[in-house]
Amino acid sequence: MKNADPSELLERYRRLNELARDLASTLELSALLNRIVNAASELCYAQAASILLYDEREGQLRFETITNPDDSWAEGIVVPVENSIAGWIATNRRPIIISDVQHDPRHYIEIAKATDIVTDSLLGVPLIAKHKVVGVLEVINKLTGEFTLEDQDLLLALGAQAAVAIENARLFQQSDQISELVHELRTPLTSINMSAKLLLNPQFPETSRIELVEMILGESQRLAKLAADFLDLSRLETGRIQYQRQVIDLLPLLRASIQLVKSQSEEAGIRILLEKPETLPLLRADYDQIKQVIINLLSNAIKYNRPGGRVTLSVGANQGEILLQVQDSGVGIPEESLPYLFDKFYRVPGSEEDARGTGLGLSISKRIIEDHGGTITVRTQVGVGTTFTVHLPLTPGP
Ligand code: ADP
């Protein structure tokens, strides 16, 4: 390992300072992780860089962000703490330089299967904030020569800044979301409170009492749904959900989903049709999570429909992907709402009068579909209806 000349080294430290300052000003976690990997590969003249975050509860490391966008489907891969290079770095809290990864006994073979890049050399450092390991930062394949101790020092310095920035972004994200949640809790709590006070008043007419009790029931159900959806979304966002990928026969899944919204659709007087081809390929995905998405979309198509309306769930396969569509004959969505539709807690103004909701269902669905390597899009016309389309790759990586 040769040492670079002092002026080059000075230049590299100057650049390190710039990059680190840039990190400190980013509070959005995924943007921050992107900046960190880009900074790492630039600083160390590496072909690619990646971040694995440590999940304390599961005791696992998980690929979060990778510099090479073509390889982004390696993101989400879980790496065991034992038997992996990243695990060694996290456990020993030490940096490491490996010149021949393929022959290193700690190399975790599943990573090689998941990415197109062949890893030859690697430099990795632990990300430690407040004495806790938050993850591992790795750069691979030095563009010229081998990783040096200078590269290691630079990456350690970047890693120290990166770890603090990750902690801050996480805290910010949490406090931001919690204040949003608290805000959302206020409306149903106010209704419950008001209704209960009215019920206590002996002068309140007997005939209207049932209405108030129904209001209390409805609003408390909404609170429970808010809590459940919020937890689901926060598990998804912090990577605390572990997808159970299995081979799925879609038709039974779709039929089960329709069954689960049946009482809701009957109550609203809405018919659900299923359109399917003769045969369908098997899909590799998480059964419960995909079912959750279908139920969310069907339930919306019923809620935002009109009496006597119709919902069509159609499924097809095309060039390595599954296409799912939920089409309704409902109220439609005004164009100005479309940019916010998948945002947390967003509800089209006026939805409250039509139907109870939390504004979280679409955010949850989008997250699940994207975690499966798919996309979800919407087409809509006010007064005519809305169609949500889900594209899912048949095999979303390992
Ligand atoms: P909610 O719990 O409010 O239904 P979602 O995240 O599932 O939350 O949906 C967000 C908002 O998008 C809804 O409040 C509603 O205004 C609108 N929306 C969703 N699906 C439809 C649909 N099929 N037709 C019309 N509007 C819809």
Side-chain angles (χ1 to χ4, degrees):
M1 293 177 200
K2 74 173 176 59
N3 283 327
D5 65 74
S7 67
E8 191 203 333
L9 191 57
L10 197 66
E11 175 52 30
R12 291 180 82 186
Y13 271 93
R14 198 191 55 71
R15 186 69 186 128
L16 167 70
N17 270 334
E18 273 174 12
L19 292 166
R21 210 171 317 128
D22 201 29
L23 299 186
S25 66
T26 319
L27 277 169
E28 206 270 305
L29 189 61
S30 63
L32 172 67
L33 297 179
N34 267 317
R35 286 194 181 182
I36 297 171
V37 288
N38 288 329
S41 53
E42 180 195 322
L43 265 187
C44 297
Y45 311 124
Q47 185 191 359
S50 58
I51 285 188
L52 298 98
L53 289 184
Y54 181 61
D55 179 342
E56 252 175 293
R57 294 221 315 208
E58 303 281 340
Q60 283 168 334
L61 286 156
R62 187 172 184 271
F63 266 102
E64 285 298 328
T65 308
I66 297 171
T67 32
N68 185 352
D70 297 339
D71 241 19
S72 61
W73 53 289
E75 287 167 14
I77 293 185
V78 169
V79 176
V81 170
E82 292 99 35
N83 299 321
S84 71
I85 295 170
W88 186 93
I89 297 169
T91 313
N92 293 282
R93 296 170 163 242
R94 273 169 44 196
I96 198 170
I97 295 177
I98 299 175
S99 54
D100 183 4
V101 172
Q102 297 301 321
H103 290 104
D104 192 285
R106 289 161 294 201
H107 182 43
Y108 181 54
I109 198 75
E110 292 302 317
I111 302 172
K113 286 191 206 153
T115 109
D116 287 338
I117 300 184
V118 177
T119 308
D120 297 320
S121 55
L122 178 149
L123 158 63
V125 298
L127 297 172
I128 298 174
K130 296 197 202 116
H131 309 292
K132 279 206 302 200
V133 176
V134 296
V136 170
L137 175 60
E138 292 179 342
V139 289
I140 59 164
N141 299 349
K142 180 139 179 177
L143 296 175
T144 51
E146 296 198 359
F147 290 116
T148 62
L149 289 175
E150 265 164 30
D151 295 330
Q152 182 176 301
D153 286 346
L154 280 157
L155 198 64
L156 271 171
L158 180 74
Q161 307 274 353
V164 174
I166 289 172
E167 270 301 282
N168 285 341
R170 279 178 161 170
L171 288 173
F172 180 76
Q173 207 171 42
Q174 269 173 13
S175 65
D176 199 38
Q177 278 199 25
I178 286 169
S179 45
E180 259 184 292
L181 175 69
V182 170
H183 180 78
E184 293 298 320
L185 296 178
R186 275 206 199 124
T187 321
L189 278 174
T190 309
S191 311
I192 292 176
N193 193 285
M194 246 174 42
S195 309
K197 278 190 182 141
L198 286 172
L199 282 173
L200 273 180
N201 182 346
Q203 253 115 59
F204 195 77
E206 198 60 39
T207 45
S208 305
R209 286 182 176 257
I210 193 87
E211 231 174 86
L212 290 181
V213 173
E214 273 168 3
M215 161 87 97
I216 292 178
L217 272 176
E219 291 297 297
S220 55
Q221 273 164 10
R222 188 153 84 98
L223 281 177
K225 179 100 172 62
L226 254 172
D229 283 358
F230 185 79
L231 280 179
D232 277 353
L233 191 63
S234 96
R235 276 197 205 102
L236 287 164
E237 286 186 336
T238 52
R240 268 185 293 133
I241 211 153
Q242 173 98 59
Y243 286 105
Q244 308 291 331
R245 302 250 156 99
Q246 46 184 299
V247 176
I248 297 178
D249 187 358
L250 260 179
L251 282 180
L253 182 153
L254 299 180
R255 291 206 176 96
S257 312
I258 293 177
Q259 198 56 36
L260 281 164
V261 296
K262 200 165 177 153
S263 63
Q264 189 194 348
S265 68
E266 281 172 358
E267 213 170 288
I270 284 158
R271 259 185 347 131
I272 305 182
L273 306 171
L274 175 62
E275 279 180 1
K276 56 178 176 56
E278 288 286 297
T279 57
L280 265 180
L282 295 171
L283 170 71
R284 216 179 126 67
D286 184 308
Y287 182 94
D288 289 328
Q289 300 298 333
I290 298 295
K291 192 165 93 182
Q292 188 58 51
V293 173
I294 304 294
I295 291 172
N296 283 347
L297 295 179
L298 285 176
S299 165
N300 280 347
I302 298 166
K303 276 197 300 193
Y304 306 108
N305 219 310
R306 54 180 167 73
R310 189 178 26 73
V311 172
T312 311
L313 169 60
S314 51
V315 57
N318 182 19
Q319 296 180 339
E321 63 172 26
I322 288 283
L323 201 84
L324 285 158
Q325 270 187 335
V326 178
Q327 185 182 17
D328 66 54
S329 57
V331 294
I333 300 164
E335 187 163 344
E336 60 270 22
S337 290
L338 290 178
Y340 315 106
L341 201 61
F342 294 93
D343 288 357
K344 265 170 271 183
F345 297 115
Y346 182 78
R347 308 200 68 206
V348 173
S351 296
E352 204 50 58
E353 290 112 64
D354 292 345
R356 287 217 161 79
T358 62
L360 291 174
L362 287 179
S363 327
I364 292 175
S365 304
K366 182 170 194 274
R367 181 78 198 204
I368 294 173
I369 295 302
E370 288 181 353
D371 284 350
H372 280 77
T375 57
I376 178 165
T377 52
V378 60
R379 245 188 16 236
T380 180
Q381 202 180 338
V382 172
V384 178
T386 302
T387 305
F388 281 90
T389 303
V390 172
H391 291 263
L392 270 177
L394 286 174
T395 45

